[in-house]
Amino acid sequence: MARSRSEQAAWRREQLLDAALRVFADKGVDGATVKDVAQAAGVTPGLLYRYFDSKEAMVETLLSERGFLPRLRELGELRHDDRPATEVLTGLLEAFDRLLADNAELMAVFFSAAQARAPLAGLVGQGQRLIGDFLAERVAAGELRPHDTATAARTLFAAVAVNRRLGTPIDVSALVGLLFPEEG
Amino acid sequence: MARSRSEQAAWRREQLLDAALRVFADKGVDGATVKDVAQAAGVTPGLLYRYFDSKEAMVETLLSERGFLPRLRELGELRHDDRPATEVLTGLLEAFDRLLADNAELMAVFFSAAQARAPLAGLVGQGQRLIGDFLAERVAAGELRPHDTATAARTLFAAVAVNRRLGTPIDVSALVGLLFPEEG
Amino acid sequence: MARSRSEQAAWRREQLLDAALRVFADKGVDGATVKDVAQAAGVTPGLLYRYFDSKEAMVETLLSERGFLPRLRELGELRHDDRPATEVLTGLLEAFDRLLADNAELMAVFFSAAQARAPLAGLVGQGQRLIGDFLAERVAAGELRPHDTATAARTLFAAVAVNRRLGTPIDVSALVGLLFPEEG
Amino acid sequence: MARSRSEQAAWRREQLLDAALRVFADKGVDGATVKDVAQAAGVTPGLLYRYFDSKEAMVETLLSERGFLPRLRELGELRHDDRPATEVLTGLLEAFDRLLADNAELMAVFFSAAQARAPLAGLVGQGQRLIGDFLAERVAAGELRPHDTATAARTLFAAVAVNRRLGTPIDVSALVGLLFPEEG
DNA sequence: CATGAATGAGAATTCATTCAT
DNA sequence: TATGAATGAATTCTCATTCAT
């Protein structure tokens, strides 16, 4: 059952990224040492440099390859639906909440790495736009009452994100019911 | 205009904390060096150790002496009012938003320092409780429609905080109008 | 002629201890810097920390691994003999003198390191006991005149040790002849 | 009862030397900081530099001004006596032992300071000569049996010094009785 | 592929010393 | 005289990175 050369290499690369993600999330990028990552992966520090150019390159790789912007975009494509707006919205927010939960460690890296600020803002912007567009659509369709859809999107998104980050996840149905009581 | 010895010492201490706050917010606690702080303060690194035992002690001092929990609590005491609920709520949230804006750098330290997680959670909890209590009061008084006041508080608080943190402050009136359209 | 990895590591460790012993003996433990030791060993200071946890750990290692108490104890076992007492005594003291000569640098460390005081006292006590027991034995056997064997042991031991330490080694035969003129 | 200017200065100088002696003996010259000395004297570090040029100068001053070579020399002058040799010898050694006891701290400095080696050797040499001369005199006078007076002097001196230094002072009468049993 | 010895740059911290007050 | 703020040079120690094996 020997892995082929390139399979082995790919596997090792992922294993190192896994370890890095865990360690960076735990100690912060600056607080973690290359040795910490190597130990977490069960290898020696030198090996990391066969797979990555530098510690910083590891962070960048994590941010680009493990970023969940792609999965966030996928969510956006599922929104055209004939189900009631509040139902779709609840589904969207729940999926988003799950996405954050699944990527808690990556979020921690986003928050700790100085260079990670920009991607984070991009992520949030993307999420807000997604939800904002959906709300505007359904307002236009007369299904939702007219309201400040941009502010609503930012609010919904923030409520889910902050509480997930703080380890106190919010009840999404209650949240949607709060903003759109009539439609519940 | 010579400062007395003890005045000078107190002034220098504050100056060093100012510099530390700026630098830590900019580079993260781990990313910033003692030399960075000293340079920002225009002194040599050794001097920091006349005023603080260690770099870590500087962080702790910032968190305890410059924390804004006290100011947050003051806000809570202003809430009993005969003005309409939405007006009071808007005022509260705006004051809170301003508080965060005034302490943007400290917030950054809160987010970067590992040891700062707990205080941050406390801060958020405090803010949510403050707003939740107010909403419950006004619902009980029949002024606001019955709703999930805890979720509402978490939502309002999160919306203000996240957007301030991301540098995209939210329009508080619009936010309040979103949750309480009828009362506007 | 390449050394294997682990051979090289063991060799390097000893080499570093050698260098440390020389440097500590020369400048005193507090007076010597880690850089001094590294330079004496022809390596960079960082390397020392692959082999020892701290400068203090180096001193402790020297004291425990290079201590000559074991060799002193061996001497004690050689004393049961059918040769004349003064001959055996001379042999013992000469062996002891050689031991001190061989370990002059370690002695210097013993004298300079604060934490080394206790082991030093132990060493001296051990040597005095060794000689005292031997003298008592031979007095009991009627070979040596009755005398204060404990004081004699302390005296002989001190005479050898002090003069070796001061770089003016004493003539052991003359020393023994001084205390036991009749038996010569 | 105010002290005059120069009296005050002289007093302070001595006080600082006292403190330095205590601290250096305790922690070793290298291990003690100027701040340590200042604290022990109840003043601030800056003041030391009004009285001494440097930390090293303090050590040198201690060694030269507080050295007990002068008192040792005085002992030498008391030796011409018409009392029996062993009695005089016992008196001399006891005086010497007391001298060492009185100057235990200075001895510690002698042993710890690198630069202090030479004075120490001088001190020992002086003591040995003193006793050696006395012994030779009394041998010449036919009072003591002919023997290796130089070795005897070194032995007597070493026995007293080492045991005093180790905190296990020797019984001087027993010591003299050991070398000159017939004369006791 | 994998190791771990070795380096060099720099981190936090200490401390003798100076100097304005 | 005495203080203590301030400095600058070291000191101990860490760590990302390289490289021979």
Side-chain angles (χ1 to χ4, degrees), chain D residues 87-121:
Chain D
E87 210 180 302
V88 176
L89 186 57
T90 303
L92 266 177
L93 291 172
E94 272 173 350
F96 175 64
D97 192 34
R98 231 174 300 119
L99 192 57
L100 293 181
D102 291 348
N103 291 278
E105 289 181 332
L106 191 61
M107 287 291 287
V109 176
F110 268 124
F111 276 95
S112 98
Q115 79 225 88
R117 287 288 138 73
L120 184 60

Side-chain angles (χ1 to χ4, degrees), chain B residues 17-29:
Chain B
L17 285 177
D18 288 344
L21 182 51
R22 250 178 297 140
V23 172
F24 288 160
D26 186 32
K27 305 193 170 185
V29 169

Side-chain angles (χ1 to χ4, degrees), chain B residues 141-163:
Chain B
E143 188 187 355
L144 293 178
R145 62 174 165 95
H147 66 284
D148 182 340
T149 55
T151 295
R154 288 163 76 185
T155 301
L156 289 166
F157 193 88
V160 169
V162 162
N163 286 289

Side-chain angles (χ1 to χ4, degrees), chain B residues 107-165:
Chain B
M107 286 292 288
V109 177
F110 268 125
F111 276 95
S112 97
Q115 78 221 91
R117 287 288 138 72
L120 183 62
L123 182 74
V124 169
Q126 181 78 17
Q128 293 178 343
R129 214 168 312 121
L130 180 82
I131 295 175
D133 288 353
F134 171 76
L135 292 176
E137 221 168 74
R138 296 298 173 111
V139 167
E143 188 187 355
L144 293 178
R145 62 174 165 95
H147 66 284
D148 182 340
T149 55
T151 295
R154 288 163 76 185
T155 301
L156 289 166
F157 193 88
V160 169
V162 162
N163 286 289
R164 172 54 69 189
R165 169 90 181 118

Side-chain angles (χ1 to χ4, degrees), chain A residues 16 34-35 38 43-52:
Chain A
L16 296 181
V34 169
K35 198 178 164 200
V43 300
T44 49
L47 187 60
L48 297 186
Y49 290 85
R50 260 191 184 278
Y51 292 87
F52 305 96

Side-chain angles (χ1 to χ4, degrees), chain D residues 19 25 27 36 40-41 50 86 110 125-126 139 146 151 162 179:
Chain D
K27 304 192 170 187
D36 288 336
R50 259 190 185 280
T86 53
F110 268 124
Q126 180 77 16
V139 167
T151 295
V162 161
L179 264 77

